[in-house]
Amino acid sequence: MKRQRKNFVGIIGLFAVAAMTAFAYNIPIPSVNAEPATATTTITVNVVNERIPTMTIVDPSDGDVVTDPAVDVRFTFTNAESFVFHIKNNRTGVTTDINEPLDPSIDPAVGSGTQVKALNLEDYGTYGDSFTITVSSVGASSFAEDSVTISLKSIKIRPVDPDDPNNPEDDPVIEITEKMPGVCSVSVQVYQLPAGNPLFDPAIVQNVESLTAKIVLPFDDALAESGQYRVEVTPLSCTDPTDPDDEPQPVGTPESIIIDYTKPETPVVPNTGLMFAGLNISQSDYIITGLVIFFILSGGVLIYLKKSRR
């Protein structure tokens, strides 16, 4: 009887272990249990646009001075669809915008290359003004830009180095390196600083029909003293040689430069005497000495003549 009871208990134990195993096998893992039946997975994809535009102004350079208002702006670019020019007159503050399409010779699918835009600076200002030119390269979703500042002047002048072996003059020399169209002569006046008194009366007028010209400033003739001077050069218009009444007129705007002048020292006259080379004898001493010698010789001659007559 006891043996049957043990077998029965053993069978029940086996069934309990089997039930516990089945229950444990069907328990879901925590990660699965946390997700609802309707959960979805979100995937973020970052798309990098490699067609970023660039812009570089090749010519003119920043700080250039031009005497011709006709200026070609040359620029290189990549990934551009069109361009915008911003031209600012730095004197007046007025800015003009110009839309410029892509050159038809450039493949729009590439949008890269070199392009030239012709500008006339007199459309945006006058001689003596400076201009800031900004070019924007417009792409599909962004843009790039570059800027330069240039000046429009009637004439470009520079001082010639007094130590230059090609400049043997004691007087200052200036050189005209460029001039605006229609200039055949210039008027030059010099003002001593800080008072500002003019040095020449009248001003110097010189023909400059060639592209460049050097002008000697006659400081020595004007008895100029050492110091600082402002040289002002005014461009003058060309005239009709067949019309004697056609006089040159100022055109554009005068240009100035500052120069430093050192008056040459007066050369010392060398003493070339032989007998009196080491003596400090003035001109009056020479005259008196000459008269004394003259009277002594004259007296000697008279005494000699009297003795010879006897």
Side-chain angles (χ1 to χ4, degrees):
M1 189 69 182
K2 292 181 178 180
R3 188 183 186 101
Q4 291 179 349
R5 185 178 300 174
K6 289 182 179 179
N7 291 336
F8 179 75
V9 172
I11 292 171
I12 292 174
L14 290 174
F15 277 109
V17 172
M20 292 174 62
T21 302
F23 178 77
Y25 180 80
N26 288 283
I27 295 176
I29 62 176
S31 60
V32 175
N33 189 45
E35 286 288 332
T38 58
T40 58
T41 302
T42 301
I43 300 176
T44 302
V45 178
N46 293 323
V47 178
V48 179
N49 181 13
E50 297 182 352
R51 291 184 56 81
I52 299 175
T54 63
M55 165 60 61
T56 302
I57 299 177
V58 178
D59 189 56
S61 300
D62 188 51
D64 277 359
V65 176
V66 297
T67 56
D68 192 336
V71 175
D72 289 337
V73 180
R74 183 181 301 274
F75 53 96
T76 60
F77 55 90
T78 59
N79 304 320
E81 295 181 353
S82 62
F83 311 98
V84 179
F85 279 75
H86 311 274
I87 304 163
K88 179 182 178 181
N89 184 314
N90 295 318
R91 176 179 59 86
T92 63
V94 176
T95 300
T96 304
D97 295 340
I98 303 174
N99 294 318
E100 183 74 7
L102 188 68
D103 192 304
S105 64
I106 297 175
D107 184 2
V110 178
S112 301
T114 300
Q115 196 160 316
V116 178
K117 173 68 174 176
L119 298 177
N120 188 337
L121 296 181
E122 286 190 302
D123 294 338
Y124 315 102
T126 185
Y127 282 91
D129 290 346
S130 68
F131 305 86
T132 298
I133 302 173
T134 303
V135 186
S136 298
S137 174
V138 182
S141 58
S142 60
F143 71 95
E145 63 182 27
D146 192 16
S147 299
V148 295
T149 298
I150 62 176
S151 299
L152 177 63
K153 294 190 175 183
S154 308
I155 202 164
K156 290 174 65 175
I157 56 178
R158 71 174 187 90
V160 177
D161 186 355
D163 296 329
D164 187 339
N166 296 321
N167 177 27
E169 305 288 344
D170 288 334
D171 290 322
V173 179
I174 62 172
E175 182 178 17
I176 297 174
T177 57
E178 288 184 34
K179 56 190 177 68
M180 63 180 286
V183 172
C184 292
S185 61
V186 295
S187 172
V188 183
Q189 184 57 274
V190 176
Y191 301 91
Q192 186 175 14
L193 301 177
N197 299 322
L199 187 63
F200 304 136
D201 184 21
I204 300 171
V205 176
Q206 181 164 326
N207 292 331
V208 290
E209 295 183 3
S210 60
L211 294 178
T212 61
K214 290 184 179 181
I215 302 175
V216 178
L217 306 177
F219 272 44
D220 189 37
D221 293 343
L223 304 177
E225 298 295 331
S226 299
Q228 198 171 60
Y229 293 82
R230 180 172 65 88
V231 182
E232 183 177 276
V233 181
T234 302
L236 301 176
S237 63
C238 300
T239 59
D240 184 359
T242 63
D243 184 0
D245 296 329
D246 187 11
E247 296 184 354
Q249 300 297 322
V251 293
T253 54
E255 296 299 330
S256 299
I257 57 173
I258 304 297
I259 64 172
D260 292 314
Y261 172 69
T262 301
K263 183 178 179 180
E265 295 183 0
T266 303
V268 178
V269 178
N271 189 351
T272 57
L274 296 178
M275 286 183 59
F276 310 104
L279 301 178
N280 186 14
I281 301 175
S282 65
Q283 186 177 6
S284 60
D285 293 334
Y286 279 113
I287 295 174
I288 295 172
T289 303
L291 291 174
V292 171
I293 295 173
F294 172 76
F295 285 119
I296 292 173
L297 292 176
S298 299
V301 171
L302 290 175
I303 294 172
Y304 174 77
L305 290 176
K306 287 181 178 181
K307 288 183 177 181
S308 61
R309 286 177 182 176
R310 291 175 183 175

